[in-house]
Amino acid sequence: MRHAVAPAESVENNYFAVTNLLKICTHCERLSKKDLGVRIPRPLGNGPSRFIPEKEILQVSKVDARTQSIFEDAFAALGRLDNISLVMGFHPQYLGSFLRTQHYLLQMDGPLSLHYRHYIGIMAAARHQCSYLVNLHVNDFLQVGGDPKWLNGLDKAPQKLQQLGELNKILAHRPWLLTKEHIERLLKAEEHSWSLAELIHAVVLLTHYHSLASFTFGCGITTEIHCDGGHTFRPPSLSQYCVCDIANGNGHANHHDDPLGNQEMCGEVEVLMERMKQLQECRDDEEASQEEMATRFEREKTESMLVVTAEDEECVPSRDISRHFEDPSYGYKDFSRRGEHVPTFRVQDYSWEDHGFSLVNRLYPDVGQMLDEKFQMAYNLTYNTMATHKDVDTSMLRRAIWNYIHCMFGIRYDDYDYGEINQLLDRSFKIYIKTMVCSPEKTTKRMYESFWRQFQHSEKVHVNLLLMEARMQAELLYALRAITRYMT
């Protein structure tokens, strides 16, 4: 039987619906809640990102019909439009591919049950202390009928999921240590064993959420108002703005609008473009020997170890997060610390295109194709612009970013000259890349603002898409190689 709603209750419910969508100033709040006597939640953040002005993000969907259409489809499928999607909306082509892949991994037919998929998402996001993604999938886990007891800690989950903990931590922090023995232990665990198809599904989910945690921290994604940690009932401070301010064009200043900062960084883009031009000319004039190319890779790999992430400070996870994974002290370590040596992973011997793609597609049909489209979309995405410059070929820069990330993971492309990386990526950019890829929970707004100061926010989001996908592919390469070695 459907219950009737009293008029006063109906008004109150409608009011909550409005305040869930809009941020309002004290004056507007007093007018809106007059005589209702209710407490009004107010968002803690200013829009979907702590790094990017809200009005710039919201403007994207207003002017781009394709973005608007993708947002509508996502809302219809999920009943929500999360802040990650809003920020990715700067690049609608990529967003469409991302949402299709994620929807397939989480909701379509596959080897793993729905609640297992969301629990694995929780485990993966927790490794990087990403409370945003953890909370998102805690809610989804419960909605699909997951056992609430599992949320009390990994030790309360089934033994089969607990055994995935070792794979989770190695993939997240030191994927080069993964061996076929790790795979064998999961596939031959008697009554708690995984099938090959289940394991492929789990590996794709783990790598997806490790890399998505990088994007979440790298873009300063904020918690939605209806979620824990996304709202407060305290009145706003004088420094904050109401929707009536936004409507009048007011808002927080940012470094892109700072004339002094732009003067200091004047010429940054032109210098980078000139270096790209010179490198192209050098390519045309002479080609380095294979021995020299190998030497340059080893040099860059060694130098990447000297790049310190975010003052190298320690981030201690809260109990709410750490209960979802084991061994909290386990984190990213550079290859050669304490004399540890890891052989170089040569893409010519095992690549995504020639090996990983077919293995995933064989054991989890269609997913290999979706992942490949997503990798290609991020890698090839270009608007032929750099800041205010048009008709620019950015392929050299995009390749340098992608290959630098893989270099940090020991992955080498024989046909690439790693000497180009130091010419194109400055130290502040390298610090940002290494932090976001290896220890994303340490990413700060200051780091985001310190690189490419003359570039648009949309271009920095594009960089973060590259970092996310390059990281995911690097993890997948190590995991799929170990599975292939087990199978052969």
Side-chain angles (χ1 to χ4, degrees):
M1 178 179 175
R2 190 173 179 180
H3 297 284
V5 180
E9 186 179 344
S10 176
V11 171
E12 186 173 319
N13 287 344
N14 288 337
Y15 181 72
F16 271 118
V18 172
T19 54
N20 274 346
L21 294 173
L22 301 177
K23 198 165 56 241
I24 57 176
C25 66
T26 309
H27 174 68
C28 296
E29 187 176 341
R30 278 201 303 271
L31 293 176
S32 301
K33 69 177 183 179
K34 188 177 180 182
D35 298 327
L36 286 177
V38 295
R39 298 174 73 212
I40 307 302
R42 185 174 57 80
L44 282 175
N46 291 299
S49 166
R50 291 184 294 111
F51 302 167
I52 306 169
E54 180 177 24
K55 60 183 179 182
E56 197 167 324
I57 296 171
L58 298 180
Q59 187 66 23
V60 173
S61 61
K62 291 180 182 177
V63 300
D64 192 302
R66 179 170 183 176
T67 303
Q68 182 69 37
S69 175
I70 292 171
F71 284 172
E72 289 170 358
D73 291 344
F75 188 84
L78 298 173
R80 66 169 184 254
L81 188 61
D82 59 43
N83 286 341
I84 288 175
S85 297
L86 286 171
V87 172
M88 285 185 183
F90 279 115
H91 306 286
Q93 279 184 294
Y94 174 85
L95 176 60
S97 177
F98 172 86
L99 289 175
R100 280 194 302 275
T101 304
Q102 184 169 261
H103 178 74
Y104 196 94
L105 291 175
L106 292 175
Q107 298 183 329
M108 302 300 285
D109 287 344
L112 294 174
S113 60
L114 296 183
H115 62 297
Y116 260 56
R117 302 180 198 193
H118 289 295
Y119 198 84
I120 290 169
I122 294 168
M123 290 173 62
R127 281 266 33 138
H128 284 307
Q129 305 167 38
C130 188
S131 57
Y132 176 88
L133 289 174
V134 168
N135 291 334
L136 204 64
H137 286 282
V138 163
N139 292 332
D140 289 342
F141 172 78
L142 294 173
Q143 281 186 356
V144 298
D147 187 343
K149 294 192 185 76
W150 296 10
L151 300 176
N152 292 329
L154 183 58
D155 58 335
K156 302 297 189 294
Q159 187 67 31
K160 184 172 179 175
L161 282 168
Q162 291 182 42
Q163 289 174 336
L164 203 63
E166 180 81 1
L167 180 65
N168 183 26
K169 78 176 187 181
I170 293 174
L171 274 179
H173 305 296
R174 308 178 205 174
W176 52 88
L177 296 181
L178 197 63
T179 66
K180 66 178 183 180
E181 283 73 30
H182 291 109
I183 303 303
E184 184 174 18
R185 283 197 288 272
L186 289 167
L187 296 174
K188 294 186 175 180
E190 297 177 354
E191 71 269 22
H192 305 299
S193 63
W194 293 73
S195 70
L196 266 174
E198 287 175 331
L199 186 58
I200 288 288
H201 195 169
V203 162
V204 173
L205 284 168
L206 289 172
T207 57
H208 175 80
Y209 283 105
H210 293 157
S211 57
L212 191 55
S214 284
F215 182 86
T216 301
F217 284 114
C219 289
I221 301 295
T222 58
T223 304
E224 288 84 1
I225 186 174
H226 64 276
C227 298
D228 290 344
H231 61 268
T232 181
F233 290 102
R234 290 180 301 181
S237 67
L238 294 177
S239 64
Q240 292 189 310
Y241 291 81
C242 167
V243 286
C244 60
D245 292 309
I246 296 173
N248 292 322
N250 298 325
H252 291 283
N254 67 90
H255 73 276
H256 290 74
D257 302 323
D258 177 7
L260 292 177
N262 284 341
Q263 286 174 17
E264 288 175 9
M265 301 306 295
C266 186
E268 175 191 36
V269 182
E270 289 75 12
V271 168
L272 186 53
M273 289 174 64
E274 181 60 29
R275 286 180 179 172
M276 289 163 60
K277 180 182 175 183
Q278 291 172 357
L279 285 171
Q280 186 60 55
E281 290 171 353
C282 289
R283 275 184 187 175
D284 297 337
D285 291 343
E286 58 179 306
E287 189 173 321
S289 66
Q290 280 299 311
E291 292 76 12
E292 178 60 23
M293 299 269 266
T295 300
R296 290 175 184 177
F297 169 78
E298 292 299 332
R299 185 185 303 132
E300 189 58 51
K301 186 171 75 169
T302 302
E303 286 181 6
S304 75
M305 289 184 276
L306 304 177
V307 177
V308 179
T309 60
E311 292 89 32
D312 224 15
E313 59 195 26
E314 288 300 317
C315 295
V316 180
S318 67
R319 169 62 187 154
D320 280 351
I321 299 297
S322 65
R323 64 186 172 187
H324 296 301
F325 65 92
E326 58 187 21
D327 197 0
S329 63
Y330 192 95
Y332 172 84
K333 297 291 181 190
D334 295 316
F335 300 161
S336 300
R337 286 191 183 179
R338 297 185 302 277
E340 178 186 335
H341 175 71
V342 176
T344 293
F345 185 123
R346 295 178 72 250
V347 169
Q348 276 64 24
D349 296 332
Y350 194 96
S351 69
W352 165 255
E353 293 81 4
D354 296 333
H355 306 90
F357 169 83
S358 57
L359 177 60
V360 173
N361 243 19
R362 180 151 52 92
L363 294 170
Y364 190 7
D366 299 327
V367 169
Q369 185 65 42
M370 289 182 174
L371 291 176
D372 191 60
E373 288 174 3
K374 191 159 62 78
F375 292 147
Q376 293 294 330
M377 184 69 68
Y379 188 87
N380 294 320
L381 184 65
T382 182
Y383 304 95
N384 296 306
T385 60
M386 282 180 66
T388 58
H389 297 268
K390 294 184 165 75
D391 301 317
V392 182
D393 181 357
T394 61
S395 57
M396 180 183 290
L397 185 56
R398 284 180 277 122
R399 190 180 186 194
I401 293 169
W402 186 280
N403 287 359
Y404 179 63
I405 294 157
H406 280 194
C407 178
M408 291 191 302
F409 286 95
I411 299 171
R412 181 192 168 206
Y413 296 82
D414 286 354
D415 62 347
Y416 182 69
D417 182 357
Y418 287 84
E420 293 184 2
I421 288 175
N422 274 340
Q423 297 294 315
L424 299 174
L425 312 183
D426 62 26
R427 184 163 181 79
S428 63
F429 193 13
K430 284 184 172 182
I431 290 173
Y432 177 79
I433 291 173
K434 185 172 181 181
T435 303
M436 186 183 146
V437 172
C438 301
S439 307
E441 62 276 10
K442 297 179 181 179
T443 308
T444 64
K445 184 176 183 180
R446 181 179 59 78
M447 293 167 57
Y448 173 88
E449 292 178 342
S450 69
F451 83 92
W452 283 14
R453 288 178 62 91
Q454 286 188 307
F455 286 72
Q456 303 295 319
H457 285 293
S458 61
E459 291 172 306
K460 290 193 171 189
V461 172
H462 185 186
V463 166
N464 286 342
L465 296 178
L466 274 172
L467 304 189
M468 174 173 72
E469 295 298 345
R471 176 191 176 171
M472 181 177 183
Q473 192 180 96
E475 284 189 33
L476 272 177
L477 281 173
Y478 278 108
L480 297 174
R481 185 182 68 169
I483 291 172
T484 299
R485 286 178 171 175
Y486 166 79
M487 293 170 66
T488 54

